[in-house]
Amino acid sequence: MRIQSVRLRKVSLPLNVPFVTHQAELKERPLIIIEVKDDAGHLGYGEVTAFPNPFYTYETLDTAWHILEDYLIPSLLKNGAVHPSDFAIQNESVQGHPMAKAGLEAALWDLYGKQEGKSLADLLGGTRSSVSAGAVISLGDSLEKDVARLKAEGFQRYKLKVIKGREKEAIETLHEIDPELPIMIDANGQYNPEDMTHLCSLDDHGLTMIEQPFTAGDFYWHKKLQEEMNTPICLDESIMSFHDAVQAVELGSCQIINIKISRVGGLTAAVQIHDFCQSRGIPVWCGGMVESGISKAHNLALASLPNFTIPGDLSGSTRYFHKDLVHPEIVIRGGAIEVPQKAGMGINVDEEYLDEVTLVYDTFS
């Protein structure tokens, strides 16, 4: 790959409504957008989806900027890369910081696709031309109003953020709206081993899965719960790498895995996890991070792989933002989203709007 320069931008996108979990509330979505430029003028785009505060993982946007500026970008400009997957190997000595790594690697994948004239989905081995859309309902949403709109758009899976002790009330509210809704709940690690009996009682509600009931990295108690609970357990925060996915599957800690490109360190690792889970008969789905269309485009390419059999956190551009960073906007039709087929991530960045929402930037060459 021919790499001439790298630009980092801190941006902030206003949200349509606050996104609320039991951990935090977002009224705007700050992000880091990464541009990698080659000597022919091609631009590859990536996105760092860490949050301002370390409530989801230990990474923040500030730590990601530091790691990118002081370690990952200098390494890339010094060593180059023949293929995007080289980047992960070259930076194994940088411990952790998967979201910083994933953002830069994503830009390399986009650039590589544009240089080769191939779509990201083709480069990854995608087999679908469209993928099913799944909605995330935050604690800040109005259930009745929001679900009615989501149903009209055709969303095929509903993930409900919950508060411990009040999840049954929320589930029953959704069932009253539509008893046939495919519902899962996302605990974001708020339960303790003492809550095992309470969690098992949720089997009566016919959930498609419960996501990350215990804290990240707790494979033992997730295994114990899955042995007692009929509802499939899906792991999210626990899966920070390919190695974590292997541990979870081999220990029987879950029946489903949520793959987030940013959480596992990039597309290279995400595809490895997909392939391993496919070989073990473990279905996967693509998680979201309240991200812009840049990350959404990468997610769509990943979700086109064959073992992504469960609708993921895949939504249109207007789900969270009045205006997205890409054009044309990503849209849902009949409960599905088309996988971009043009070179690279297959979608254009609105450079004028990107400049408008940029708070600070720096260029490295």
Side-chain angles (χ1 to χ4, degrees), residues 127-169:
T127 59
R128 298 186 182 92
S129 60
S130 66
V131 296
S132 299
V136 181
I137 303 173
S138 88
L139 296 174
D141 292 320
S142 169
L143 288 182
E144 292 84 354
K145 181 179 179 181
D146 206 46
V147 170
R149 181 173 59 81
L150 295 170
K151 283 179 60 180
E153 292 182 42
F155 279 90
Q156 299 184 37
R157 185 229 63 196
Y158 295 78
K159 181 166 84 171
L160 185 61
K161 297 286 186 179
V162 295
I163 296 176
K164 184 169 73 171
R166 295 171 55 187
E167 60 285 287
K168 291 184 179 182
E169 176 186 343

Side-chain angles (χ1 to χ4, degrees), residues 54-293:
F55 65 86
Y56 176 68
T57 70
Y58 63 85
E59 281 187 272
T60 69
L61 288 172
D62 287 342
T63 66
W65 187 284
H66 159 55
I67 294 298
L68 285 160
E69 180 179 39
D70 293 336
Y71 297 99
L72 300 180
I73 293 174
S75 173
L76 175 65
L77 293 175
K78 177 182 177 181
N79 299 315
V82 175
H83 187 272
S85 60
D86 295 338
F87 174 77
I89 297 171
Q90 291 169 355
N91 290 282
E92 288 178 344
S93 62
V94 178
Q95 299 299 308
H97 302 282
M99 293 187 180
K101 293 176 179 177
L104 184 50
E105 194 202 55
L108 293 175
W109 276 103
D110 182 32
L111 179 64
Y112 182 73
K114 290 169 179 174
Q115 290 176 344
E116 297 294 314
K118 295 181 178 180
S119 73
L120 186 52
D122 285 341
L123 291 173
L124 299 178
T127 59
R128 298 186 182 92
S129 60
S130 66
V131 296
S132 299
V136 181
I137 303 173
S138 88
L139 296 174
D141 292 320
S142 169
L143 288 182
E144 292 84 354
K145 181 179 179 181
D146 206 46
V147 170
R149 181 173 59 81
L150 295 170
K151 283 179 60 180
E153 292 182 42
F155 279 90
Q156 299 184 37
R157 185 229 63 196
Y158 295 78
K159 181 166 84 171
L160 185 61
K161 297 286 186 179
V162 295
I163 296 176
K164 184 169 73 171
R166 295 171 55 187
E167 60 285 287
K168 291 184 179 182
E169 176 186 343
I171 295 167
E172 289 169 358
T173 298
L174 285 190
H175 279 150
E176 289 174 3
I177 296 171
D178 185 345
E180 302 301 319
L181 281 182
I183 302 169
M184 60 173 286
I185 63 172
D186 185 3
N188 289 120
Q190 64 185 289
Y191 296 99
N192 301 308
E194 293 78 13
D195 299 313
M196 292 268 288
T197 300
H198 173 65
L199 287 166
C200 288
S201 73
L202 298 178
D203 276 339
D204 297 336
H205 292 273
L207 298 171
T208 61
M209 70 187 83
I210 177 170
E211 185 179 4
Q212 195 66 42
F214 301 131
T215 57
D218 196 339
F219 297 111
Y220 174 79
W221 282 112
H222 281 113
K223 170 184 170 64
K224 287 296 185 182
L225 178 61
Q226 188 64 92
E227 289 173 349
E228 297 294 326
M229 195 172 193
N230 294 322
T231 302
I233 292 173
C234 171
L235 290 184
D236 176 0
E237 289 96 328
S238 288
I239 310 301
M240 299 287 290
S241 66
F242 173 72
H243 179 68
D244 287 340
V246 172
Q247 286 195 89
V249 171
E250 299 297 353
L251 290 172
S253 301
C254 63
Q255 295 180 16
I256 301 168
I257 285 180
N258 164 356
I259 301 178
K260 290 180 179 173
I261 298 171
S262 60
R263 194 194 63 238
V264 303
L267 277 165
T268 300
V271 172
Q272 289 175 333
I273 294 170
H274 164 275
D275 294 348
F276 170 76
C277 288
Q278 186 175 34
S279 73
R280 294 296 193 274
I282 301 294
V284 300
W285 53 276
C286 184
M289 292 286 288
V290 193
E291 63 265 282
S292 84

Side-chain angles (χ1 to χ4, degrees), residues 13-17 317-324 329 353:
L13 301 179
L15 292 172
N16 291 325
V17 296
S317 290
T318 59
R319 170 65 178 143
Y320 299 118
F321 309 113
H322 174 67
K323 186 173 184 179
D324 202 348
E329 292 184 332
Y353 185 57

